[in-house]
Amino acid sequence: MQFIDLKTQYQKIDALIQQRINAVLEHGKFIMGPEVAELETRLEEYTGAAYCINVASGTDALLIAMMALDIKPGDEVITTPFSFISTAETIVLLGAKPVFVDIQEDTYNLDPTLLEQAITPKTKAIMPVSLYGQCADFDTINQIAESHGIPVIEDAAQSFGATYAGKKSCNLSTIGCTSFFPSKPFGAYGDGGACFTNNEELATRMKHIRVHGQDKRYHHYITGVNGRLDTIQAAILLAKMELFPEEVEARKRIGARYSQLISENTTEVGVPLIAEGNTSVYAQYTIRVKERDKLIEKLKQNDIPTAIHYPIPLHKQPAITSLQSSYSLPIAENCSDHVMSLPMYPYLEETTQDYIVESVCKALS
Ligand SMILES: *Cc1c(COP(=O)(O)O)cnc(C)c1O
């Protein structure tokens, strides 16, 4: 069994993907070819954001967003300790300091009730993560941020396609950043990412930062990076866009079915809570159990792969921790010890799902 099966998806659109790749090979514009702009238009339509800037990865999206907001050494950026390393790594790369705020135990996202007390005169951005495919509580976060005049960046690497109060993830804050890493809900066949905003000035800055801070040929008014999305990856994503809306529906259906089956059959497993007004794309289907290692081992014996997202909270990572005063983030630390993810992808068959749930329940009984 596979944790994420990308092959079934490929078989559904192989002809279209090959046609799209061949078109790129024929026109030969491998860097910033027409597919990049075409994809940006499609993603603007999909998310409702006025501007999409495709970039080389989700990590670059976060970096470019913060560079556009002029995050500098000495600045503070408030974020969650319960995420992939990129979230904190990009803050550190810019010489700024990640300030961690603990998470909500039920949604695993940044707890907005702890936000106000973390804000200082040095706070230059708030960067919540929409973890596992569910958006953080943006209405509350935006309100607090606005009252202090602080921009908000959504790390939407796992939540492209999700909605919050009827609005699409990536279009919920000052800048939204996503990833097209192959295993993400909207994945390419290599690295990729995007920044979204409704602010024209920020959009222009991000477009320039993506190409070495260049506004005119060989004129560089701002420090930038080489952060472009390959034309071939844009072409692949355009083909995959044909399937994406139905894949989002399948993800919602499978996630809800997992939760229902598990809840009906055991009380030993904490299933993900989807907050009212939210829809999740279940980038991960993540459960919480008392004795995680035992369950992982038993599932492995039944050929069921699992993963841990994430075993070490960011404030405990050696690359980050040296910068920190002593943090106590009990909820994130507790979740890191008890969460584990089950196989999840849009083409996960019901019979496979039943087998996984049965194995989980049997292992815990
Ligand atoms: C995957 C991920 C990233 C980084 O995306 P890449 O495309 O791999 O650079 C950033 N933040 C979160 C929460 C992620 O899951």
Side-chain angles (χ1 to χ4, degrees):
M1 193 187 299
Q2 292 187 72
F3 188 67
I4 294 175
D5 168 18
L6 295 174
K7 200 157 184 185
T8 307
Q9 180 199 52
Y10 174 63
Q11 285 161 347
K12 284 180 92 82
I13 44 165
D14 54 355
L16 186 57
I17 286 190
Q18 284 162 21
Q19 190 188 320
R20 279 286 190 172
I21 291 176
N22 282 337
V24 177
L25 297 176
E26 289 298 326
H27 69 54
K29 298 187 180 78
F30 301 119
I31 300 293
M32 297 304 280
E35 285 80 1
V36 175
E38 187 184 345
L39 178 65
E40 287 175 342
T41 303
R42 284 293 292 277
L43 299 184
E44 285 159 5
E45 286 163 7
Y46 183 81
T47 58
Y51 304 97
C52 169
I53 299 96
N54 283 328
V55 297
S57 70
T59 307
D60 269 0
L62 297 173
L63 191 65
I64 290 169
M66 282 190 280
M67 288 170 84
L69 290 169
D70 202 24
I71 306 291
K72 289 190 296 289
D75 292 343
E76 294 178 359
V77 177
I78 298 175
T79 190
T80 163
F82 200 53
S83 182
F84 182 62
I85 188 70
S86 301
T87 310
E89 173 190 56
T90 46
I91 298 169
V92 173
L93 261 172
L94 292 173
K97 180 183 168 192
V99 172
F100 296 108
V101 163
D102 213 348
I103 56 170
Q104 296 173 314
E105 191 156 25
D106 50 4
T107 65
Y108 304 104
N109 282 327
L110 186 144
D111 184 346
T113 64
L114 303 173
L115 194 51
E116 188 83 52
Q117 67 201 57
I119 294 172
T120 77
K122 291 183 180 172
T123 308
K124 290 293 150 59
I126 299 169
M127 191 153 78
V129 177
S130 295
L131 201 73
Y132 302 151
Q134 170 173 218
C135 296
D137 183 2
F138 276 93
D139 280 351
T140 313
I141 293 167
N142 286 335
Q143 210 171 15
I144 296 167
E146 217 164 280
S147 72
H148 292 268
I150 301 168
V152 177
I153 300 169
E154 180 190 14
D155 181 343
Q158 302 186 6
S159 59
F160 190 79
T163 60
Y164 175 92
K167 272 180 95 175
K168 288 260 173 36
S169 177
C170 295
N171 187 26
L172 302 174
S173 63
T174 318
I175 301 174
C177 297
T178 198
S179 163
F180 304 134
F181 186 82
S183 62
K184 306 277 169 157
F186 189 49
Y189 288 155
D191 280 308
C195 299
F196 296 84
T197 186
N198 291 306
N199 180 315
E200 187 181 357
E201 200 185 316
L202 283 175
T204 303
R205 278 170 73 85
M206 290 193 284
K207 275 180 199 163
H208 292 159
I209 292 168
R210 170 175 67 180
V211 284
H212 308 286
Q214 172 175 282
D215 55 354
K216 292 185 290 269
R217 195 163 169 82
Y218 299 130
H219 180 261
H220 309 271
Y221 74 102
I222 186 177
T223 305
V225 292
N226 174 354
R228 297 171 296 235
L229 179 73
D230 284 344
T231 308
I232 282 191
Q233 297 304 337
I236 289 160
L237 287 164
L238 280 164
K240 287 202 183 193
M241 200 64 204
E242 300 301 315
L243 285 178
F244 187 65
E246 60 189 73
E247 289 186 349
V248 169
E249 291 312 308
R251 285 177 172 279
K252 285 194 253 180
R253 193 175 59 241
I254 292 165
R257 190 167 180 276
Y258 253 140
S259 292
Q260 192 192 347
L261 288 175
I262 292 171
S263 304
E264 279 170 7
N265 288 290
T266 178
T267 53
E268 297 293 304
V269 175
V271 297
L273 179 116
I274 306 305
E276 201 172 320
N278 273 358
T279 61
S280 176
V281 288
Y282 292 99
Q284 313 294 346
Y285 184 84
T286 304
I287 59 173
R288 188 156 51 196
V289 290
K290 276 199 207 87
E291 294 183 80
R292 176 173 67 192
D293 295 348
K294 254 196 200 161
L295 181 56
I296 289 173
E297 190 47 44
K298 286 191 179 164
L299 292 181
K300 201 172 162 190
Q301 286 164 13
N302 287 356
D303 186 35
I304 298 169
T306 56
I308 298 174
H309 305 97
Y310 294 89
I312 305 172
L314 298 178
H315 64 292
K316 301 263 184 196
Q317 289 288 356
I320 308 292
T321 192
S322 60
L323 303 160
Q324 301 306 321
S325 42
S326 55
Y327 269 103
S328 170
L329 300 163
I331 302 188
E333 287 164 27
N334 185 274
C335 291
S336 289
D337 288 337
H338 296 285
V339 294
M340 56 180 279
S341 307
L342 301 176
M344 178 73 206
Y345 48 88
Y347 306 100
L348 185 69
E349 307 243 1
E350 291 198 352
T351 49
T352 312
Q353 232 190 328
D354 292 344
Y355 173 70
I356 294 167
V357 174
E358 216 174 280
S359 302
V360 168
C361 294
K362 212 186 281 171
L364 291 172
S365 68

